Amino acid sequence: MKKVQKGEYGYIHSQKIRRSVITFVLLLIPVVIFFIGLGIYHKRENMFTFVAIMGCLPGCRCAVGMIMMLLQKETDPEVYEKTRKAAGELPVLYDCVFTAYEKTTSVNALVLGQGCVIGYSSDPKTSPEYIEKHLTEILQGNNVKRTVKLFRDYRKFETRVKEMAAYEAAGDEKRKNEKAVDVLKAIAL
């Protein structure tokens, strides 16, 4: 089975499964160590108990990441199909979760075009102004000049994507989009 990369459709779903399995295994190992020590010494006060307690730390750290992913909503397949068709050859990132200082924002799709990045979020708690400002600052800090616009209405988003796809540029713009894609992937959860 192919690993789903960050920014691809299905990333959140695959991460939920992957992180759950890893967390389970990392927490199972200390439990097994504890019971081995209990079986050998017939009491809790032994070195195996200490090793088991210390062995819980990586599992607990991994559990935090698992919980963060379990709280995220996956992109609706219908939104994915419509966006994929509307975007044509434009680069699209799906299932992005951006953590800023005050808020965590889930963005279903981000489309990169000539000088702009537009996104769609189905989450009603999303503050478009906040995430637009945050992403603009991050991109500018990485020498990528882009305007960012986030939509909560899918019809408006789809219309804008179709407009961008109609004016698709080649060559130098594609290189700039690649850099913007790399920056956005780096800051997504």
Side-chain angles (χ1 to χ4, degrees), residues 110 116-118 131-132 135-136 139 146-150:
L110 281 171
C116 64
V117 175
I118 65 165
I131 197 64
E132 288 169 4
L135 292 179
T136 301
L139 288 169
R146 292 281 189 270
T147 57
V148 179
K149 177 72 176 155
L150 189 69

Side-chain angles (χ1 to χ4, degrees), residues 4-189:
V4 180
Q5 298 296 320
K6 193 184 287 190
E8 291 180 7
Y9 175 70
Y11 177 73
I12 289 177
H13 179 72
S14 72
Q15 286 297 302
K16 285 179 180 181
I17 294 169
R18 182 176 182 272
R19 291 180 187 213
S20 296
V21 169
I22 291 171
T23 301
F24 175 75
V25 170
L26 287 176
L27 291 175
L28 180 64
I29 293 169
V31 170
V32 170
I33 291 171
F34 173 77
F35 282 113
I36 288 173
L38 195 61
I40 293 172
Y41 294 106
H42 304 292
K43 60 181 183 174
R44 287 186 328 204
E45 297 80 16
N46 61 59
M47 189 54 85
F48 284 89
T49 301
F50 175 74
V51 171
I53 291 170
M54 298 313 291
C56 286
L57 295 174
C60 292
R61 181 181 177 275
C62 192
V64 172
M66 177 194 72
I67 292 168
M68 284 293 293
M69 275 300 170
L70 291 176
L71 294 174
Q72 305 309 316
K73 289 185 179 179
E74 301 164 24
T75 300
D76 183 24
E78 186 178 331
V79 168
Y80 165 70
E81 283 300 322
K82 286 181 176 180
T83 304
R84 187 180 60 80
K85 288 177 184 173
E89 296 295 317
L90 294 173
V92 183
L93 297 175
Y94 299 98
D95 291 339
C96 294
V97 179
F98 297 104
T99 55
Y101 300 109
E102 291 100 26
K103 299 178 184 183
T104 298
T105 305
S106 178
V107 179
N108 299 91
L110 281 171
V111 179
L112 290 86
Q114 233 177 0
C116 64
V117 175
I118 65 165
Y120 167 70
S121 178
S122 61
D123 186 1
K125 295 183 274 182
T126 298
S127 170
E129 299 80 22
Y130 181 78
I131 197 64
E132 288 169 4
K133 181 181 177 218
H134 177 69
L135 292 179
T136 301
E137 289 172 358
I138 297 288
L139 288 169
Q140 286 178 351
N142 286 281
N143 295 322
V144 179
K145 304 295 183 221
R146 292 281 189 270
T147 57
V148 179
K149 177 72 176 155
L150 189 69
F151 294 89
R152 289 196 356 212
D153 179 10
Y154 186 76
R155 280 184 248 116
K156 290 180 182 177
F157 170 74
E158 185 178 27
T159 302
R160 181 67 180 115
V161 170
K162 287 178 181 177
E163 290 171 4
M164 288 170 52
Y167 296 109
E168 179 184 343
D172 191 44
E173 192 63 34
K174 286 190 177 186
R175 271 196 311 277
K176 290 179 184 176
N177 280 338
E178 288 174 8
K179 184 173 181 182
V181 166
D182 291 342
V183 171
L184 291 169
K185 281 184 181 180
I187 64 172
L189 184 66

